[in-house]
């Protein structure tokens, strides 16, 4: 069509053709923005591919599942060492399905979920802003997320971080769809509440997000149905709670605890506020993360005001609701099924979870425990709309020029992202600073000598791991491997005579559970001082000034007794005290401690299941003193080495 023909078109045709072209441009911009963000995240994550020591811990449980030993870390001991139940079973399922090497299965799943999380986040934000037909939607919040190095570090770490952000992104997208639907269909609604109900299985603290989402859905008006609203609400609650409640009952009966053993080991209910603020600044400070957060907050507010200034759809349910000046109960219920309520939900959840992370002291891994919170806070601005003046720039009013503010914010965010993506926050390398926080990926890269430590064998080059494997091979009679006080080599406490046929078995007592357990057969018991896989250590009191995430340390004297090894010198390592070992034996005879050990070591019968279910909360609260003589005092036992009576004056 030439210019003359275009000029001869009617006045109604020209704007329509212009709007069509604008819609095509908007759609292409949005799709291109998603593709660009995903590619950048994929490249960044692949450049930093690795599997953490803690990620290998999950694989030990998966190995036991595949071997038919159940969801345990050590055969014969029902201990839940993985915080995310869903992550454990997802890895197990795809490992069973593909029969591929576990490390490669995890690498593929984690990579896929991490990239999907970004897509879901941007799709949800697109619907929030009215879709690509209404404006140019450009990447914003997701650029901030993928720019910070910790986000790329945990794309393939083998930990559940990828699953958490993918679940959050999917839930966000589905909640926005539900809030905007003119007519909610029951199958979609039940799918949404089922997804929200999975929260405690994704990760325990995600229960806050899922719980608030379910509360919002249940209180909001129910869709039209032949069922009465109260019946429909009951079915919604049942659909949401069926899997998590079923698993919770099974967990309490099987493991004897109401939550994963990791929560006991790390005392997830404890408070270390000062360390928490140190951890927060460790993420926010080096990258000046507060800058893009403030910029995008302003951009989001400006974009939202521009959106509300648009002509309202007279038939729109939410527009009619927004015109109401009186906030009665039924109006509040109607508001709960609105995009504004969903935005409030994710922002409130992100804030509360941040406060919780501050309270417990954060983590020892740089940034990891704040990634989900940051992801939540960025969801509403995952993409940001730029609405060009409808009548062109010449006829634009002052209100129309709000797009310039948003455009400036996006350019500033992109500039910051380039800076943050090339910033190294922690430069200590192999050293752990006084804060106790490390760049976990760099730490293991330097300590193993592998740019991408992924396979279990890569960790054989970590100090003390290859000698451990060699020592096990050299001692067919079995024994307890204890690391030397200098952390240079292993002592082996031998089993007592007579040695049974095939040996008495090996136990390794070491902090790094993942690399240790994945480089030994399943018949080698692996336990740790902190208690992630060793309830006796997990139920000790938290050390006041211990390193965050490592602030429990059971003395090895207890382990000599627990494993039944020779407790006399010269067979026992020189740095252990025979007196302490004797006292530890007495301390372990405490009835409550014996009951705790029976709960996860006795064969699982119906009676054992019932007893564990009944006493799970009691077991969770139980604590012992790691110093044997103090534990004897606490339990009211007779000390085999009583203090001598004071001499008469």
């Amino acid at each position: 069509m030439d210019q003359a023909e275009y000029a001869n078109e009617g006045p109604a045709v020209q704007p329509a053709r212009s709007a069509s072209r604008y819609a095509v441009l908007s759609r292409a911009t949005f799709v291109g923005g998603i593709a660009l963000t995903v590619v950048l995240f994929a490249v960044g994550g692949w450049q930093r591919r690795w599997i953490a020591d803690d990620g290998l811990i999950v694989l030990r449980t998966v190995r036991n599942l595949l071997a038919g030993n159940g969801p345990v870390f050590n055969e014969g001991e029902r201990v839940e060492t993985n915080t995310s139940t869903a992550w454990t079973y997802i890895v197990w399922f795809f490992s069973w399905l593909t029969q591929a090497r576990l490390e490669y299965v995890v690498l593929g799943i984690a990579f896929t979920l991490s990239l999907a999380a970004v897509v879901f986040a941007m799709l949800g934000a697109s619907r929030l802003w009215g879709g690509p037909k209404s404006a140019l939607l450009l990447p914003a919040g997701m650029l901030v997320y993928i720019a910070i190095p910790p986000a790329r570090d945990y794309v393939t770490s083998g930990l559940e971080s990828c699953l958490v952000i993918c679940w959050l992104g999917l839930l966000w997208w589905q909640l926005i769809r539900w809030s905007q639907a003119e007519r909610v269909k029951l199958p979609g609604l039940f799918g949404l509440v089922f997804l929200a109900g999975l929260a405690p299985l994704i990760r325990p603290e995600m229960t806050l997000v899922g719980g608030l989402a379910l509360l919002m859905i249940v209180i909001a008006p129910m869709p039209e149905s032949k069922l009465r609203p109260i019946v429909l609400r009951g079915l919604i609650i049942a659909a949401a709670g069926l899997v998590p409640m079923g698993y919770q009952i099974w967990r309490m009966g099987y493991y004897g605890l109401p939550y994963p053993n990791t929560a006991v080991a790390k005392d997830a209910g404890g408070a270390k506020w000062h360390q928490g603020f140190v951890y927060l600044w460790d993420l926010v400070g080096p990258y000046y993360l507060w800058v893009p957060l403030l910029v995008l907050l302003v951009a989001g507010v400006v974009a939202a005001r521009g959106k509300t200034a648009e002509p309202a759809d007279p038939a729109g349910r939410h527009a009619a609701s927004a015109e109401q000046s009186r906030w009665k109960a039924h109006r509040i219920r109607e508001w709960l099924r609105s995009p504004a309520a969903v935005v409030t939900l994710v922002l409130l959840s992100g804030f509360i979870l941040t406060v919780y992370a501050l309270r417990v002291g954060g983590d020892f891994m740089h940034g990891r425990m704040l990634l989900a919170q940051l992801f939540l806070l960025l969801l509403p601005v995952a993409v940001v709309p730029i609405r060009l003046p409808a009548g062109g720039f010449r006829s634009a009013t002052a209100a129309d020029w709000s797009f310039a503010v948003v455009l400036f914010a996006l350019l500033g965010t992109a500039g910051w992202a380039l800076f943050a993506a090339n910033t190294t926050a922690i430069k200590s390398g192999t050293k752990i600073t006084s804060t106790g926080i490390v760049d976990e990926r760099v730490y293991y890269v330097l300590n193993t000598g592998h740019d991408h430590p992924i396979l279990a064998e890569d960790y054989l080059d970590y100090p003390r791991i290859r000698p451990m494997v060699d020592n096990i091979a050299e001692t067919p009679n079995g024994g307890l491997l204890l690391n030397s006080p200098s952390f240079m080599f292993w002592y082996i406490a031998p089993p007592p005579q007579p040695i049974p046929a095939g040996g008495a078995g090996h136990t390794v007592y070491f902090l790094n559970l993942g690399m240790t357990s994945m480089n030994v057969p399943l018949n080698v018991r692996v336990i740790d001082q902190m208690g992630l896989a060793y309830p006796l250590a997990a139920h000790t009191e938290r050390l006041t000034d211990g390193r965050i995430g490592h602030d429990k340390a059971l003395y090895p004297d207890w382990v000599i007794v627990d494993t039944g090894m020779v407790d006399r010198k010269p067979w026992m390592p020189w740095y252990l005290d025979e007196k302490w070992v004797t006292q530890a034996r007495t301390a372990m005879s405490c009835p409550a401690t014996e009951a705790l050990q029976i709960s996860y070591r006795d064969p699982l019968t119906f009676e054992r299941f019932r007893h564990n279910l009944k006493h799970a909360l009691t077991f969770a609260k139980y604590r012992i003193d790691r110093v044997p003589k103090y534990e004897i005092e606490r339990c009211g036992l007779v000390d085999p080495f009583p203090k001598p009576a004071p001499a008469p004056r």
Side-chain angles (χ1 to χ4, degrees):
M1 179 181 290
D2 59 25
Q3 188 174 2
E5 290 175 324
Y6 183 80
N8 290 332
E9 289 183 340
V13 176
Q14 294 180 18
R17 187 177 298 277
S18 177
S20 176
R21 291 176 178 175
Y22 180 72
V24 172
L25 174 64
S26 299
R27 193 175 294 108
T29 303
F30 174 59
V31 174
I34 291 181
L36 175 64
T37 307
V38 169
V39 168
L40 290 175
F41 200 28
V43 171
W46 187 253
Q47 288 176 339
R48 293 167 175 258
R49 64 190 181 277
W50 70 306
I51 293 181
D53 175 66
D54 283 26
L56 293 176
I57 293 176
V58 178
L59 300 189
R60 169 78 170 203
T61 301
V62 173
R63 285 173 66 197
N64 273 298
L65 277 167
L66 294 172
N69 298 328
V72 299
F73 191 80
N74 290 305
E75 184 180 358
E77 295 184 338
R78 296 183 300 276
V79 181
E80 190 175 14
T81 58
N82 305 331
T83 304
S84 173
T85 302
W87 180 238
T88 300
Y89 286 99
I90 287 173
V91 174
W92 164 78
F93 173 76
F94 283 101
S95 299
W96 168 81
L97 184 67
T98 63
Q99 296 296 301
R101 177 154 183 163
L102 295 181
E103 293 95 328
Y104 294 139
V105 172
V106 165
L107 199 68
I109 298 172
F111 201 71
T112 302
L113 291 178
S114 295
L115 300 185
V118 171
V119 175
F120 292 145
M122 298 177 78
L123 289 174
S126 166
R127 292 188 67 96
L128 172 68
W129 297 114
K133 292 182 179 180
S134 65
L136 294 176
L137 295 172
L138 300 178
M142 283 303 101
L143 284 182
V144 174
Y145 183 80
I146 69 173
I148 60 170
R152 286 171 282 137
D153 282 347
Y154 292 98
V155 168
T156 65
S157 67
L159 296 164
E160 71 279 356
S161 304
C162 57
L163 176 63
V164 171
I165 63 170
C166 186
W167 177 80
L168 288 173
L170 180 58
L171 182 65
W172 153 254
W173 179 35
Q174 293 303 309
L175 282 173
I176 288 291
R177 291 186 62 189
W178 164 78
S179 69
Q180 293 178 334
E182 289 297 326
R183 182 179 179 184
V184 177
K185 297 181 180 179
L186 288 183
L189 180 62
F190 280 108
L192 173 60
V193 297
F194 179 81
L195 177 67
L198 293 177
L201 304 182
I202 301 296
R203 193 172 165 89
E205 60 265 36
M206 290 301 112
T207 304
L208 171 73
V209 185
L212 288 177
L214 288 171
L215 185 64
M216 183 169 68
I217 294 169
V218 170
I219 297 177
M222 290 290 104
E224 294 182 6
S225 170
K226 295 180 180 180
L227 300 173
R228 296 177 60 187
I230 190 171
V231 175
L232 188 54
R233 286 187 170 91
L235 291 175
I236 287 174
I237 294 172
L242 181 63
V243 173
M245 287 304 298
Y247 182 80
Q248 183 64 17
I249 293 171
W250 182 83
R251 166 190 276 156
M252 294 171 71
Y254 187 80
Y255 294 112
L257 287 175
Y259 34 71
N261 186 64
T262 52
V264 180
K266 297 191 177 185
D267 269 348
K272 284 194 172 183
W273 286 100
H274 174 72
Q275 179 63 28
F277 281 101
V278 170
Y279 187 73
L280 176 65
W281 187 248
D282 183 74
L283 176 66
V284 173
Y287 310 114
Y288 300 94
L289 188 55
W290 54 273
V291 173
L293 292 179
L294 286 177
V295 168
L296 289 181
L297 174 62
V298 172
V301 171
V302 170
R305 289 176 64 88
K307 187 173 186 296
T308 55
E310 294 175 349
D313 178 7
R317 172 177 54 82
H318 301 304
S321 177
E323 293 174 359
Q324 300 297 325
S325 59
R326 294 183 302 170
W327 279 69
K328 295 183 178 180
H330 66 284
R331 292 301 177 194
I332 295 177
R333 290 177 56 204
E334 288 181 0
W335 176 82
L336 287 175
R337 195 165 82 84
S338 70
V342 178
V343 171
T344 303
L345 166 70
V346 296
L347 294 180
L348 181 62
S349 298
F351 175 75
I352 295 175
L353 287 175
T354 301
V355 173
Y356 172 73
L358 295 179
R359 185 179 187 276
V360 299
D363 192 39
F364 63 94
M365 300 185 195
H366 171 60
R368 180 205 166 199
M369 291 302 292
L370 291 173
L371 290 179
Q373 291 88 325
L374 179 63
F375 193 81
L376 278 165
L377 295 175
L378 292 171
L379 283 175
V381 289
V383 296
V384 171
I386 293 183
R387 295 182 174 85
L388 301 180
F393 292 105
R394 293 181 179 179
S395 60
T397 64
D400 291 330
W401 283 96
S402 62
F403 84 93
V405 177
V406 179
L407 180 60
F408 179 78
L410 289 175
L411 292 174
T413 300
W416 171 89
L418 289 174
F419 155 76
N422 295 283
T423 300
T424 302
I426 297 181
K427 302 177 181 179
S428 56
T430 59
K431 296 180 181 179
I432 299 174
T433 64
S434 58
T435 65
I437 305 169
V438 296
D439 185 324
E440 191 82 346
R441 186 188 65 85
V442 171
Y443 179 84
Y444 284 119
V445 165
L446 295 177
N447 273 294
T448 63
H450 295 272
D451 290 337
H452 305 289
I454 293 172
L455 303 178
E457 300 95 272
D458 295 335
Y459 282 93
L460 287 174
D461 295 319
Y462 185 83
R464 303 178 294 280
I465 301 303
R466 195 180 299 277
M468 174 203 72
V469 174
D470 294 339
N471 288 161
I472 290 174
E474 294 164 359
T475 53
N477 287 344
L480 169 64
L481 278 72
L482 298 170
N483 207 236
S484 67
S486 61
F487 299 103
M488 297 300 292
F489 54 91
W490 296 89
Y491 284 106
I492 302 180
Q497 299 288 343
I499 304 297
H506 290 90
T507 297
V508 181
Y509 190 53
F510 193 52
L511 184 63
N512 297 94
L513 282 176
M515 64 181 76
T516 305
S517 64
M518 283 298 288
N519 279 296
V520 297
L522 291 178
N523 60 2
V524 175
R525 184 178 176 222
V526 181
I527 54 179
D528 62 308
Q529 301 95 315
M530 204 179 90
L532 292 178
Y534 193 29
L536 192 64
H539 286 267
T540 57
E541 293 288 353
R542 197 176 188 184
L543 301 176
T544 304
D545 298 319
R547 181 190 174 200
I548 189 67
H550 297 77
D551 42 11
K552 290 188 177 181
L554 185 69
Y555 291 112
D557 309 80
W558 294 80
V559 190
I560 291 285
V561 177
D562 192 33
T563 54
M565 299 300 160
V566 176
D567 58 358
R568 292 289 182 269
K569 293 179 180 177
W571 300 276
M572 189 171 68
W574 64 268
Y575 60 90
L576 299 184
D577 191 314
E578 291 182 1
K579 176 181 174 181
W580 273 50
V581 172
T582 303
Q583 288 177 319
R585 177 174 286 103
T586 301
M588 288 184 67
S589 68
C590 181
T593 303
E594 289 181 333
L596 172 69
Q597 292 186 300
I598 289 172
S599 71
Y600 65 89
R601 286 181 176 171
D602 260 19
L604 187 66
T605 62
F606 176 78
E607 184 56 33
R608 169 50 48 200
F609 187 94
R610 186 189 67 81
H611 188 274
N612 283 357
L613 182 64
K614 184 178 179 180
H615 297 282
L617 289 172
T618 303
F619 290 140
K621 296 176 183 177
Y622 183 63
R623 294 293 182 271
I624 66 176
D625 198 302
R626 70 193 190 115
V627 178
K629 68 175 182 179
Y630 296 151
E631 174 61 12
I632 289 172
E633 260 182 52
R634 186 197 67 82
C635 197
L637 302 172
V638 177
D639 193 336
F641 300 98
K643 293 181 181 179
R649 296 183 179 179

